Amino acid sequence: MYTKRFFSVFILTACVSLLYHLNLLHENEKMFLCRAVPEGYEAVLFGKGNKAVFSMVYPEEPGIVKIAEDILEISVSTGNPSRYVFYFDRQRSIMSETFFNPILFDNKYVAYMKDDRLILADIFREGILELEIVRDFSEMADPVSAIISVEMLEGGEILLQYYQGEDMEIMSEMIEPMETAHVKQDEIALCPFGRFGRKL
């Protein structure tokens, strides 16, 4: 009887201990490291198992923000309102292309301006969302400032608010994803900004 109780307590203690250590390992997993180096600031991105998978040196300290469970946003400002941004998926160890002054929405998609067109796309350009929207957007020093907000609704429609024309009239419209043309794959520029970038 005592032997059974001993083994029950032993197994319970071992299970609790294992769960505790697994949780600690999970909490201590690294996602990134940013440190000063002679050339500027080095950002190191870590994949699963704390393995360094990418390193890049920037002249200014980059902003690194966790936007979802395993997704980081890495940005470098080159002066107000100029900002270059890319995203890193830690689980899959993949990086997005670099976006100029993007608007992040629903933590999965970006909106950015290119040649007076508004481009809406999923962060990693996997074909989930690729829309090109042409409107009479108000002219701004930073073109994407003409966009007030972009919101993905539950039904898959996109609620877009923007300034229109010289009078900066506020417009609001619902966009069905199938209404607009797809962005061509050859328009995608896959080169994260910075110097001395290397895949590890």
Side-chain angles (χ1 to χ4, degrees):
M1 180 177 175
Y2 288 109
T3 308
K4 269 188 174 179
R5 185 175 293 171
F6 172 79
F7 279 115
S8 296
V9 171
F10 177 79
I11 290 170
L12 180 63
T13 305
C15 288
V16 169
S17 177
L18 180 62
L19 289 172
Y20 177 76
H21 287 294
L22 285 174
N23 189 43
L24 272 184
L25 283 173
H26 180 71
E27 286 178 3
N28 291 332
E29 284 182 342
K30 294 178 189 174
M31 290 190 77
F32 68 91
L33 173 68
C34 189
R35 60 187 170 205
V37 294
E39 298 88 359
Y41 291 87
E42 181 184 25
V44 181
L45 305 178
F46 295 90
K48 291 190 295 185
N50 290 347
K51 181 182 177 185
V53 295
F54 192 79
S55 172
M56 184 84 75
V57 174
Y58 304 97
E60 302 292 332
E61 185 173 7
I64 304 178
V65 179
K66 183 179 177 181
I67 62 165
E69 183 60 33
D70 287 300
I71 309 291
L72 293 176
E73 177 185 81
I74 299 92
S75 64
V76 169
S77 174
T78 55
N80 194 12
S82 177
R83 192 171 74 109
Y84 289 90
V85 177
F86 75 93
Y87 299 89
F88 174 68
D89 183 330
R90 181 178 180 278
Q91 277 294 338
R92 299 183 291 166
S93 295
I94 60 170
M95 289 178 298
S96 73
E97 66 180 276
T98 300
F99 303 101
F100 179 69
N101 286 352
I103 298 170
L104 177 69
F105 64 103
D106 203 31
N107 285 340
K108 299 175 187 173
Y109 313 103
V110 287
Y112 63 96
M113 297 295 284
K114 181 176 180 181
D115 302 326
D116 298 322
R117 297 168 296 155
L118 177 65
I119 308 298
L120 306 179
D122 51 290
I123 291 174
F124 296 102
R125 301 302 282 262
E126 297 171 296
I128 300 167
L129 174 68
E130 287 193 64
L131 305 178
E132 176 183 312
I133 300 169
V134 179
R135 300 290 187 272
D136 182 21
F137 297 117
S138 298
E139 289 187 20
M140 306 276 199
D142 172 23
V144 83
S145 295
I147 308 305
I148 300 168
S149 67
V150 185
E151 184 181 352
M152 179 69 77
L153 304 179
E154 286 185 13
E157 302 90 357
I158 297 163
L159 179 60
L160 174 66
Q161 288 189 303
Y162 59 94
Y163 295 110
Q164 177 178 275
E166 292 182 8
D167 297 331
M168 294 185 64
E169 182 182 358
I170 295 176
M171 302 296 292
S172 182
E173 64 178 279
M174 196 80 72
I175 297 170
E176 295 287 339
M178 298 308 291
E179 285 182 3
T180 51
H182 282 257
V183 180
K184 293 177 183 175
Q185 190 69 23
D186 59 8
E187 292 180 350
I188 300 173
L190 295 169
C191 48
F193 50 88
R195 298 181 298 141
F196 313 117
R198 64 188 188 280
K199 198 157 186 177
L200 301 175

